[in-house]
Amino acid sequence: MSGDDSWYDEAAGPLVRPYTITSGRTPGEAARLDLATQVMTLRTEQEPTGLGPEHLAIVQLCRRPVSVAEIAVYVKVPLGVVRVLCGDLIERGLVITRSPNPSPASAPDLETLQAVLDGLLKY
C-alpha cells in the first residue's frame, strides 16, 4: 500500500477528517443552526472566491432552501462540520437562514392546548 492509499477506502471513498475541513473549529454561537434550519444562497454577481470545495458545494446546493440535515447528507460531511461551514458562509454574506422554530410569543397558550386535548379526548 502506498502512502496515498491510506486516504482512500474502497467502500467510503476518499477519507478526510472533519477537523481538516473546519481547521479544527467548532460551530460558533452566531450560527445556531438546528437540523431543520433552512439555508439559502443569496444571489451575487460574482462567483465566491477563497472557499473550500465543501463551501462551494453548499453554495451550489442551497440555490433553493435546504435544511441543515439535508446539506449534511448531500455534501457527505458530519452535521457539526455543516454548521461550521454554514457559519462561514453566513459571515461572508453568501447565505441566509430561516429557523422553523416558532418564537415563544407565537406559541399557543395553555388554555388553547387544553381545549385541543379535550376535543381529541371526545373522539
Side-chain angles (χ1 to χ4, degrees), residues 1-10 12-17:
M1 180 182 269
S2 71
D4 291 338
D5 291 342
S6 65
W7 289 100
Y8 191 82
D9 178 276
E10 285 298 324
L15 301 176
V16 177
R17 300 276 182 207

Side-chain angles (χ1 to χ4, degrees), residues 8-73:
Y8 191 82
D9 178 276
E10 285 298 324
L15 301 176
V16 177
R17 300 276 182 207
Y19 63 81
T20 303
I21 297 170
T22 64
S23 300
R25 296 173 296 130
T26 58
E29 286 297 314
R32 290 187 145 201
L33 307 172
D34 64 21
L35 293 173
T37 298
Q38 299 290 304
V39 180
M40 186 169 176
T41 302
L42 292 172
R43 295 185 193 274
T44 60
E45 298 298 318
Q46 303 173 15
E47 281 295 313
T49 59
L51 298 176
E54 292 82 9
H55 285 107
L56 293 172
I58 293 170
V59 169
Q60 288 293 326
L61 177 65
C62 294
R63 293 185 188 254
R64 62 171 181 78
V66 181
S67 74
V68 170
E70 290 174 296
I71 294 169
V73 171

Side-chain angles (χ1 to χ4, degrees), residues 26-34 37 39 68 79-80 82-91 95 97:
T26 58
E29 286 297 314
R32 290 187 145 201
L33 307 172
D34 64 21
T37 298
V39 180
V68 170
L79 195 55
V82 169
R83 287 181 171 132
V84 171
L85 298 176
C86 285
D88 295 343
L89 296 172
I90 291 167
E91 286 178 10
V95 300
T97 61

